Amino acid sequence: VNGSIFDWQVNGGTQVFGDSSNVIRIDWGVTGNGEVRLQERSYDFVNNKACLSDTVILPITINPRPTADEILGTMELCQYEDTFIYTVNGFANSTFEWAINGDTSNINGQGSNTISIFWDVAGSFSVSALETTEFNCPGSIIDTIVLVNPKPLTSSIIGPKVICPENSDNHVYSVSNNPTSTYEWFVFGENSFTGQGTNSITVNWETSLPSGRVEVLEISDKGCAGDTQVLNIEIDRLAIDMKVVSVGSPDDRMHVNWSLLEIADPALFTIEKKAGINPWQEIATISGTNLSYLEQPINTDIEPFTYRIKSTNKCGTDIFSEEHTNVNLQGFQNENFDINVSFTDYLGWDNGVEFYDLYERINNGAYIPHSLNLTPGAGTLITNNPDQFKKCYRVRAVELNGAGT
């Protein structure tokens, strides 16, 4: 009614606007129950009397407002380190709107009081949460700052990948230096190394092993670890063992056999030969997959020959086998047609020769032993037999403690 006055009574809150108008504003107090009472007053000027309405009562339920004011979780961490959990201890059945730098999208756990974040970008980030209770009562926005320290970007290890026994010490390995980082090195197959903690180390390698490995882990001043860098090391222990040098059958050829003392993959072998004090001559270069060579034609009757095998390791060093000299057998016939045969020593085996045997072939038969345990340089007389119109002789040398050579 125009001209009415509204008498308000508030229980559980404080009227802050409206006085005796038909609209008021109330700040509600503590959680619980409240009420608003209203009675309208007016004056009947026709009948000259006051008019009062019935009192109207509105019950009010005052629900609690969220009071959580802290986000729990790790606030400083390393990029790519792990997935981290962030929690608000709010009311049961509340919903939570989370945001990272104001963006609410793609957040694992959005809507609940706990989220998980995998921090793959370095920087400073604002993480906020707004709690709304099941009675649609919103709280204040809670926020915090998360500092994501960068993961070190370690460069590849620089240093020699192939080591050879003749130069195995004082090899330097390094990565690009970040002055605020420390570097943890792991070296496998070394005798020793120095420089731990810095971006550069010096290694003395153990050459009895076929390989080694260098690893480094960079750690920033914030404790953030980079990716472990790895460099595999090959130790080229190329070593050639001359096995035997032997005149073939027929005797216009020479068999040269050798082996590798260690696992290696040489590209080429060069066969070298000399006679007496003459200089070495390269007579052939063959694939590194071969371990034998047949030289022919060659006159093996005049004098013995010395052979060696050469190859080059991956460090550019020439590697030589031992020198081996074949047995040279010669015979001299006297006026009675008897033959005096003698032979030179076989040279090259580490333990020398265990024994020498002389073999004979009569006419076109097979070789059979003629004389055993002979001494080089000492002649052996073979008497003439007219029925034996063709005789051939060979000397068999057996290595002392050898493997069948």
Side-chain angles (χ1 to χ4, degrees):
V1 177
N2 289 334
S4 291
I5 296 172
F6 297 87
D7 294 325
W8 299 88
Q9 183 178 352
V10 177
N11 294 321
T14 302
Q15 182 179 336
V16 295
F17 174 81
D19 296 332
S20 58
S21 64
N22 65 325
V23 176
I24 64 171
R25 183 178 298 162
I26 301 171
D27 283 344
W28 293 106
V30 297
T31 301
N33 296 317
E35 66 176 12
V36 179
R37 293 173 175 267
L38 172 63
Q39 186 178 48
E40 182 180 356
R41 291 184 290 123
S42 64
Y43 189 78
D44 184 354
F45 289 98
V46 175
N47 297 306
N48 292 320
K49 66 177 183 178
C51 298
L52 295 174
S53 70
D54 293 333
T55 298
V56 179
I57 300 173
L58 178 64
I60 301 295
T61 300
I62 305 172
N63 294 306
R65 186 172 183 268
T67 57
D69 60 359
E70 182 182 13
I71 296 175
L72 303 177
T74 302
M75 303 309 167
E76 184 173 359
L77 50 96
C78 296
Q79 180 186 11
Y80 295 112
E81 182 178 358
D82 204 347
T83 297
F84 290 87
I85 304 300
Y86 297 90
T87 300
V88 173
N89 291 328
F91 293 136
N93 302 321
S94 286
T95 59
F96 297 81
E97 184 179 54
W98 293 86
I100 302 174
N101 284 350
D103 184 1
T104 60
S105 61
N106 301 318
I107 297 178
N108 186 28
Q110 182 69 279
S112 70
N113 73 316
T114 298
I115 61 171
S116 59
I117 305 174
F118 181 74
W119 297 101
D120 56 1
V121 177
S124 180
F125 298 87
S126 171
V127 177
S128 63
L130 174 63
E131 179 182 1
T132 301
T133 70
E134 61 181 317
F135 306 108
N136 291 320
C137 296
S140 299
I141 292 177
I142 312 166
D143 61 7
T144 189
I145 297 298
V146 177
L147 179 60
V148 182
N149 294 308
K151 176 182 178 179
L153 299 176
T154 311
S155 67
S156 298
I157 299 172
I158 297 175
K161 297 180 182 179
V162 178
I163 300 299
C164 298
E166 68 273 10
N167 182 24
S168 60
D169 291 343
N170 299 317
H171 291 282
V172 176
Y173 297 87
S174 64
V175 293
S176 296
N177 187 34
N178 184 338
T180 61
S181 291
T182 57
Y183 299 85
E184 188 171 359
W185 294 87
F186 305 89
V187 185
F188 305 90
E190 89 292 356
N191 277 324
S192 62
F193 75 94
T194 58
Q196 183 67 278
T198 71
N199 72 307
S200 177
I201 61 171
T202 301
V203 181
N204 296 331
W205 290 104
E206 170 54 60
T207 57
S208 65
L209 302 174
S211 63
R213 190 170 72 253
V214 179
E215 299 180 359
V216 64
L217 177 66
E218 180 181 357
I219 301 175
S220 73
D221 57 340
K222 301 298 184 181
C224 299
D227 291 327
T228 299
Q229 300 298 311
V230 179
L231 184 66
N232 291 313
I233 306 300
E234 176 186 357
I235 299 179
D236 187 354
R237 301 182 296 162
L238 176 62
I240 307 168
D241 179 34
M242 181 72 87
K243 303 298 290 184
V244 66
V245 173
S246 179
V247 176
S249 181
D251 63 0
D252 64 343
R253 62 200 64 194
M254 188 76 73
H255 293 276
V256 184
N257 297 85
W258 63 93
S259 66
L260 295 179
L261 294 174
E262 303 291 346
I263 296 174
D265 55 347
L268 299 170
F269 289 115
T270 298
I271 295 86
E272 297 185 340
K273 179 182 78 172
K274 70 175 182 176
I277 62 173
N278 294 316
W280 289 101
Q281 293 181 330
E282 294 184 358
I283 61 173
T285 297
I286 61 177
S287 168
T289 60
N290 294 322
L291 296 175
S292 64
Y293 177 72
L294 177 64
E295 183 188 6
Q296 70 176 121
I298 178 175
N299 187 348
T300 62
D301 296 333
I302 300 176
E303 60 185 336
F305 295 99
T306 302
Y307 291 83
R308 69 182 182 185
I309 308 301
K310 180 180 75 173
S311 189
T312 303
N313 65 20
K314 294 179 181 178
C315 300
T317 302
D318 287 339
I319 303 298
F320 293 92
S321 71
E322 313 98 320
E323 300 174 8
H324 278 221
T325 303
N326 68 289
V327 173
N328 179 250
L329 172 66
Q330 294 190 355
F332 298 94
Q333 190 177 60
N334 62 23
E335 65 275 9
N336 297 320
F337 299 102
D338 297 330
I339 303 172
N340 191 307
V341 297
S342 63
F343 58 91
T344 61
D345 203 350
Y346 186 94
L347 303 176
W349 286 324
D350 290 341
N351 297 319
V353 178
E354 183 175 3
F355 59 84
Y356 295 93
D357 292 337
L358 179 67
Y359 280 70
E360 179 184 55
R361 185 174 70 180
I362 300 174
N363 299 333
N364 293 317
Y367 277 102
I368 60 174
H370 179 278
S371 302
L372 305 180
N373 295 317
L374 300 179
T375 301
T380 299
L381 183 64
I382 301 171
T383 58
N384 178 41
N385 184 338
D387 294 332
Q388 300 171 351
F389 57 87
K390 180 180 179 181
K391 294 182 178 181
C392 297
Y393 294 92
R394 293 176 64 86
V395 172
R396 175 174 178 253
V398 176
E399 181 182 5
L400 179 63
N401 299 324
T405 52

